[in-house]
Amino acid sequence: ARLILEHEPRGAAAVDTAVQRLIFGSRRGVLVLVSDLLAEQPVIPALAAHVARGREVWVLHVVDPAEVEFPYDEPVRFLDLESDEELSLNPREFARSYRAEFAAFLEAQEQSCAAAGVHYLRLRSDEPFQLKLREFLTR
């Protein structure tokens, strides 16, 4: 855990490729993916392959509250932390449609995991995760 906490994330991640490479290990085990699931390539199909091989697979889906609530009212500049691309816009023009699309995205991720036999837990980045994780694991 210390190694993960000390690691400074940078650049784009090819999560689907990394998960596919893991499939050639032993048949048993537990695979835990901690992600925002915003990768360009869907990762759930790769996780389903692990489930098919008899592994227990967990997705801890980390979501920033601003992604859900989209609390912006004034023109703002967004910066993509993986690519350094910038986007300037007036949030009032599309806040409602953004919230609806993001809610649909969250629901789709949860349903995809369930269909693939993958355990799914959504965590907010502004809340301590330990309690929620403990409750989830004891179910």
Side-chain angles (χ1 to χ4, degrees), residues 2-11 81:
R2 189 185 87 232
L3 181 63
I4 292 171
L5 293 173
E6 291 174 354
H7 180 73
E8 181 68 30
R10 64 189 186 300
L81 297 176

Side-chain angles (χ1 to χ4, degrees), residues 41-131:
Q41 297 299 317
V43 69
I44 307 304
L47 295 174
H50 286 276
V51 172
R53 292 183 58 91
R55 294 188 177 110
E56 187 173 348
V57 180
W58 296 74
V59 168
L60 304 181
H61 187 184
V62 181
V63 178
D64 187 299
E67 293 173 316
V68 177
E69 299 156 9
F70 201 74
Y72 311 102
D73 292 325
E74 300 300 322
V76 66
R77 184 182 61 160
F78 293 95
L79 175 64
D80 183 327
L81 297 176
E82 292 180 357
S83 68
D84 289 331
E85 289 183 44
E86 293 184 18
L87 174 65
S88 296
L89 54 91
N90 184 346
R92 291 181 190 173
E93 295 174 5
F94 72 96
R96 178 176 282 144
S97 63
Y98 169 86
R99 288 184 193 110
E101 284 186 41
F102 197 76
F105 164 76
L106 293 175
E107 183 65 25
Q109 298 308 307
E110 190 167 0
Q111 288 179 0
S112 294
C113 284
V118 172
H119 302 282
Y120 176 91
L121 176 63
R122 186 176 309 139
L123 301 169
R124 286 177 53 120
S125 62
D126 65 337
E127 297 174 348
F129 70 92
Q130 294 89 339
L131 246 161

